[in-house]
């Protein structure tokens, strides 16, 4: 049996190099080996306030980027979460299974809610909806960045709890994280992850940043005072982060990159990293521009939603029966 892969990205803000290296690049690699479902999780996006017309555009932006990085709708099912109502339905059932204490321990909720006067109940129950996304498709493998590990562990716990209480229903999913790159750090502060929502745009590379912006952001990225290009995440977190990025966009090992800069300073290293990023991202950006303007996106997402609905419906029939719901 081919394995089932599921993952999702929120259509909020500009997709960063962190999203790409930690998640999207893995999505592309997996589509040849597995039956993959990749979702645009708009219901998760509304756990924080969103402007409606902007949200609509960002859904199409993200779908275009999915295609531009190499996801192939013939191989993967690409769809929007709110097009498949089973996500909300199973999300509710799992909200009735998850404990308040478990949700309170989620670090993403604590971080996103911190210092805010009003936090939506949806932000709190977010992990139950995420578990529903994954479990609806009987997924075996979920490629994500390191920040989603806690949510994945909760998803597994909920699947096991459901199966124990109501009888065998869900496949227990495994998390898939790349060894280096599951947590790309900010360019201005290597103790923070690179994030869409950081107020400083210089902290991140965005997938659609023009070449000159990419070069400038890399040239301004913080390093350290030691001037040796060496991989040591403890002692040299900023340089190690840049090395990780270099290695992933050039498909060279970190050792190879380190060896190439033996005896050279940070200037050469950063200049080449800027060029390597431009070379890697430019073709993606060109494809993106073509796809975004093609008018094909809506049709593709409708086809994806139809496939997703059919798969989700099979799971929901069993869930309703096992829980004792319905007339
Ligand atoms: P989000 O933007 O929160 O929807 O995240 C989409 C995917 O990108 C998830 O799998 C995240 O774990 C991953 N991701 C987000 N930021 C980073 C980062 N700085 N490094 C690696 N992966 C990331
Ligand atoms: N919570 C994820 C994030 O913020 C997005 C997400 C929602 C997701 N549902 C998912 C990721 C299911 C993987 C599988 O990055």
């Amino acid at each position: 049996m081919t394995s089932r892969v599921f993952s999702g990205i929120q259509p909020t803000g500009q997709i960063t190099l962190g999203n790409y290296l930690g998640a999207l690049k893995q999505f592309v690699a997996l589509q040849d080996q597995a039956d993959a479902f990749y979702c645009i999780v708009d219901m998760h996006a509304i756990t924080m306030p969103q402007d409606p017309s902007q949200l609509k555009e960002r859904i199409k932006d993200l779908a275009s980027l999915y295609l531009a990085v190499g996801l192939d709708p013939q191989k993967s099912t690409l769809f929007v979460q709110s097009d498949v109502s089973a996500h909300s339905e199973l999300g509710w059932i799992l909200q009735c299974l998850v404990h308040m204490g478990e949700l309170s321990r989620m670090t993403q909720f604590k971080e996103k809610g911190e210092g805010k006067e009003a936090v939506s109940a949806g932000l709190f129950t977010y992990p139950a909806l995420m578990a529903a996304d994954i479990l609806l498709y009987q997924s075996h493998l979920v490629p994500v960045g390191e920040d989603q590990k806690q949510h994945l562990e909760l998803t597994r716990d909920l699947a096991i709890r459901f199966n124990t209480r109501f009888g065998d229903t869900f496949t227990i999913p495994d998390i898939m994280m790349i060894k280096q790159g599951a947590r790309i750090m900010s360019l201005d502060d290597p103790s923070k992850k690179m994030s869409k929502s950081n107020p400083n745009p210089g902290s991140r590379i965005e997938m659609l940043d023009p070449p000159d912006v990419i070069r400038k952001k890399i040239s301004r990225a913080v390093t350290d005072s030691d001037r040796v290009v060496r991989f040591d995440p403890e002692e040299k977190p900023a340089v190690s982060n840049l090395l990780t990025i270099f290695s992933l966009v050039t498909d060279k090992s970190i050792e190879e990159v380190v060896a190439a800069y033996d005896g050279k300073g940070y200037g050469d290293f950063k200049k080449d990293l800027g060029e390597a990023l431009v070379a890697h991202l430019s073709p993606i950006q060109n494809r993106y521009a073509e796809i975004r303007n093609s008018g094909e996106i809506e049709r593709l997402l409708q086809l994806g939603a139809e496939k997703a609905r059919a798969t989700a419906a099979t799971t929901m029939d069993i869930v309703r029966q096992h829980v004792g719901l319905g007339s």
Side-chain angles (χ1 to χ4, degrees):
M1 195 181 69
T2 45
S3 61
R4 173 70 50 78
V5 165
F6 185 96
S7 197
I9 298 184
Q10 300 187 60
T12 50
Q14 294 297 325
I15 299 298
T16 71
L17 188 66
N19 297 129
Y20 174 64
L21 298 177
L24 265 175
K25 200 159 172 267
Q26 274 47 258
F27 296 4
V28 181
L30 283 164
Q31 71 177 348
D32 290 317
Q33 310 156 26
D35 179 18
F37 282 68
Y38 298 124
C39 189
I40 294 174
V41 291
D42 55 347
M43 305 280 278
H44 278 109
I46 61 165
T47 58
M48 304 284 271
Q50 303 295 335
D51 173 76
S53 51
Q54 195 179 43
L55 179 59
K56 247 218 134 60
E57 289 307 306
R58 282 186 168 161
I59 291 169
K60 285 187 231 153
D61 293 346
L62 183 52
S64 305
L65 193 63
Y66 272 7
L67 296 173
V69 299
L71 289 179
D72 176 352
Q74 305 286 343
K75 296 180 185 167
S76 314
T77 305
L78 310 178
F79 72 105
V80 180
Q81 188 185 30
S82 65
D83 282 342
V84 184
S85 54
H87 289 250
S88 315
E89 203 176 341
L90 184 59
W92 175 257
I93 295 170
L94 296 179
Q95 280 186 54
C96 298
L97 196 72
V98 71
H99 304 156
M100 298 283 284
E102 289 170 317
L103 294 173
S104 315
R105 284 194 286 277
M106 294 294 120
T107 53
Q108 180 170 302
F109 169 70
K110 289 190 217 165
E111 282 164 17
K112 286 197 178 175
E114 208 180 353
K116 300 232 162 53
E117 223 170 88
V119 171
S120 75
L123 188 66
F124 186 61
T125 61
Y126 177 118
L129 179 61
M130 176 161 164
D133 299 341
I134 296 165
L135 300 180
L136 264 180
Y137 299 92
Q138 306 290 357
S139 314
H140 300 99
L141 211 56
V142 184
V144 280
E146 207 260 345
D147 59 353
Q148 297 303 313
K149 192 165 169 240
Q150 203 187 22
H151 288 158
L152 250 295
E153 281 161 3
L154 181 59
T155 300
R156 288 171 57 91
D157 290 346
L158 291 177
I160 293 167
R161 187 174 306 158
F162 191 104
N163 287 353
T164 308
R165 195 169 297 175
F166 299 110
D168 223 7
T169 309
F170 296 125
T171 303
I172 313 299
D174 283 317
I175 185 169
M176 193 197 132
M177 276 191 298
I178 44 166
K179 282 203 194 76
Q180 276 323 317
R183 193 170 172 83
I184 298 293
M185 308 312 280
S186 282
L187 300 178
D188 62 342
D189 177 356
S191 69
K192 289 198 200 126
K193 73 163 184 175
M194 184 179 284
S195 156
K196 290 169 184 168
S197 55
N198 188 314
N200 174 15
S203 69
R204 60 179 167 267
I205 304 285
E206 295 176 2
M207 292 300 284
L208 302 178
D209 274 344
D212 279 350
V213 174
I214 295 176
R215 292 187 185 103
K216 195 176 285 170
K217 284 180 176 176
I218 293 295
S219 77
R220 290 187 183 159
V222 298
T223 48
D224 52 43
S225 52
D226 148 83
R227 313 212 56 75
V228 181
V229 178
R230 183 164 59 82
F231 189 75
D232 183 344
E234 291 290 313
E235 297 291 320
K236 295 168 69 67
V239 172
S240 301
N241 186 47
L242 296 180
L243 274 167
T244 300
I245 296 172
F246 206 137
S247 150
L248 289 171
V249 295
T250 57
D251 282 326
K252 288 185 182 144
S253 70
I254 289 188
E255 293 74 31
E256 278 177 83
V257 183
V258 169
Y261 293 93
D262 188 23
K264 295 186 187 164
Y266 291 156
D268 288 339
F269 171 62
K270 280 180 156 186
K271 194 159 174 291
D272 294 351
L273 172 56
E275 293 312 322
L277 273 167
V278 168
H280 192 91
L281 296 183
S282 290
I284 296 176
Q285 296 179 349
N286 293 340
R287 278 196 296 276
Y288 176 88
E290 267 171 45
I291 295 162
R292 186 67 179 86
N293 299 323
S294 70
E296 276 287 282
I297 294 297
E298 284 90 343
R299 195 186 57 88
L300 278 176
L301 291 176
Q302 284 314 314
L303 287 176
E306 271 168 40
K307 251 189 87 185
R309 265 184 225 121
T311 307
T314 310
T315 302
M316 279 315 294
D317 283 346
I318 304 169
V319 168
R320 277 191 218 97
Q321 210 183 332
H322 283 188
V323 180
L325 294 168
S327 54

